[in-house]
Amino acid sequence: MSSFTRTQDVIEICEVTSQSWGTGQSKGLAVRTKIPGNVKSGNITLRRGMTNSVDFWNWFDKVQTGGWAKQRKLVALSIYNQASVEVARFELAGAWPNRYKIADVNARSTEIEIEEVESRF
């Protein structure tokens, strides 16, 4: 898995108060306030060694052929400690694949082939 990011936009509001200041002039004081805005999620890339399973490919294929609305999935990411105890879990609702990749294939290599799917949610 690649890194997982969530960001939050900042909304800046500028208000003019009715406060008087200066010499004889009544002017408001501009006050700027920042508040949290929309939350955005970055893409996540899942990697695994190639198997006989074509689940990742089938998921990607169904999205690219127009059935994306029915292909949105709940992706759960679990983090385990060395004692195999789950210490954190992230559930990402509405994920759909936007990229599928198989690492370069070399018939003479003894390395495991890697399959990747990049998802948005």
Side-chain angles (χ1 to χ4, degrees):
M1 180 188 92
S2 66
S3 63
F4 167 63
T5 60
R6 296 261 302 169
T7 58
Q8 189 160 22
D9 291 338
V10 175
I11 299 171
E12 187 173 301
I13 298 172
C14 183
E15 300 173 291
V16 179
T17 68
S18 59
Q19 178 180 351
S20 296
W21 63 286
T23 56
Q25 297 179 356
S26 178
K27 294 184 179 179
L29 179 64
V31 176
R32 295 185 186 275
T33 305
K34 294 182 181 181
I35 61 172
N38 293 332
V39 175
K40 296 179 186 176
S41 298
N43 292 354
I44 191 164
T45 302
L46 304 172
R47 293 180 184 93
R48 71 177 181 183
M50 287 292 292
T51 66
N52 291 335
S53 171
V54 290
D55 290 342
F56 276 175
W57 172 254
N58 288 339
W59 187 30
F60 179 79
D61 188 52
K62 287 177 184 174
V63 169
Q64 76 174 352
T65 56
W68 72 273
K70 294 180 181 177
Q71 295 306 313
R72 296 174 72 102
K73 307 280 184 195
L74 174 67
V75 175
L77 303 172
S78 297
I79 299 173
Y80 295 89
N81 64 15
Q82 291 182 343
S84 297
V85 175
E86 186 179 274
V87 294
R89 181 177 180 89
F90 300 92
E91 292 187 350
L92 313 170
W96 55 275
N98 67 302
R99 184 174 67 91
Y100 178 84
K101 177 183 175 183
I102 296 176
D104 295 337
V105 177
N106 182 350
R108 296 181 185 193
S109 175
T110 58
E111 294 181 11
I112 297 173
E113 293 301 321
I114 303 296
E115 179 182 34
E116 294 182 2
V117 65
E118 183 177 318
S119 297
R120 294 181 182 262
F121 50 98

